[in-house]
Amino acid sequence: QVELVESGGGVVQPGRSLRLSCAASGFSFGSYGIHWVRQAPGKGLDWVALISYDGSYKDYADSVKGRFAISRDDSQNTVFLQMNSLRADDTAVYYCAKDRYRLATTGGGAFDLWGQGTMVIISS
Amino acid sequence: EIVLTQSPATLSLSPGERATLSCRASQTVSSFLAWYQQRPGQAPRLLIYDASNRATGIPARFSGSGSGTDFTLTISSLEPEDFAVYYCQQRSTWPLTFGGGTKVEI
């Protein structure tokens, strides 16, 4: 079955850290970039981060640059999002999403498979 | 960054009617524009990529058009399951950006 499954969300205090995981199955994981996209409660979609198919290229939204780090472990077919120095405005559902474009060096930038999302709440 | 403006914010229609959704970019994105559907409580789903190409499994009633700065998503005849929020997204220039969404309601 072709799917992405996120985990690791929860309630944490401002300034603390959290690591999200995205487990992939059913497709050639090592051939595709993976993104994180978030959605604050009742709001629209915001792109957060990308890791290319081979892990050589990473990019971040300005709002998370220097605080979040994306990585991948192809032996586990899993992508991680390490989130540090969390703030109240990081509260959102975090989705991982597969890039549509195979072997795109810097990420193709359209999302053809999404996970169900994991909720992150930053609150004291 | 490229700002995508979607209009209208809300579209009130009946099943069987035609829906026309607009997305305007603050600068050209060529044809590097996608459309997504998000039903309540669900993850988004890719409908259209590169302005006019239907994604796998998407019904033919969904079509996309446009290039440069002006794009349109058309649903030729609304089915009950089409009432949802629709987002456009550009991949021309990083950072990737989404429009604010159009809600299609009954």
Side-chain angles (χ1 to χ4, degrees):
Chain A
Q1 186 173 355
V2 179
E3 66 177 356
L4 297 170
V5 179
E6 303 96 334
S7 60
V11 181
V12 296
Q13 294 178 326
R16 303 298 289 265
S17 298
L18 204 59
R19 188 174 86 151
L20 306 183
S21 299
C22 170
S25 60
F27 63 95
S28 181
F29 179 76
S31 296
Y32 293 93
I34 301 292
H35 303 256
W36 287 94
V37 177
R38 68 184 180 183
Q39 186 170 36
K43 302 297 185 182
L45 301 166
D46 286 314
W47 173 79
V48 172
L50 153 75
I51 187 165
S52 64
Y53 72 97
D54 61 357
S56 65
Y57 182 82
K58 303 174 186 179
D59 200 6
Y60 302 91
D62 284 348
S63 58
V64 307
K65 204 168 288 186
R67 300 188 299 123
F68 289 13
I70 191 170
S71 61
R72 64 188 294 154
D73 181 344
D74 285 10
S75 69
Q76 298 182 54
N77 282 7
T78 301
V79 169
F80 303 98
L81 185 68
Q82 178 67 42
M83 305 188 295
N84 300 327
S85 303
L86 284 162
R87 311 185 306 217
D89 62 358
D90 294 319
T91 294
V93 175
Y94 284 72
Y95 296 100
C96 61
K98 170 185 164 289
D99 197 287
R100 185 189 172 277
Y101 301 93
R102 186 172 176 270
L103 300 178
T105 306
T106 57
F111 320 111
D112 67 349
L113 177 67
W114 296 66
Q116 84 288 351
T118 187
M119 185 74 208
V120 173
I121 299 173
I122 312 304
S123 174
S124 54
Chain B
E1 71 179 42
I2 294 178
V3 176
L4 299 178
T5 302
Q6 292 188 239
S7 61
T10 303
L11 198 52
S12 298
L13 294 169
S14 299
E17 290 193 298
R18 182 184 188 90
T20 303
L21 288 66
S22 174
C23 177
R24 176 164 289 178
S26 59
Q27 62 192 78
T28 182
V29 299
S30 185
S31 294
F32 298 129
L33 190 105
W35 291 92
Y36 300 85
Q37 176 194 67
Q38 187 176 33
R39 296 172 177 145
Q42 295 187 16
R45 175 175 73 143
L46 178 66
L47 298 175
I48 302 288
Y49 65 93
D50 293 346
S52 61
N53 298 284
R54 270 191 307 278
T56 302
I58 301 303
R61 65 180 180 274
F62 291 92
S63 63
S65 64
S67 66
T69 61
D70 290 295
F71 299 86
T72 300
L73 174 70
T74 301
I75 311 170
S76 60
S77 179
L78 284 163
E79 297 288 338
E81 63 268 26
D82 299 337
F83 292 91
V85 180
Y86 294 82
Y87 295 95
C88 58
Q89 175 250 327
Q90 65 82 23
R91 67 178 190 95
S92 172
T93 303
W94 295 79
L96 307 178
T97 52
F98 290 87
T102 290
K103 181 179 182 180
V104 178
E105 64 175 23
I106 299 177

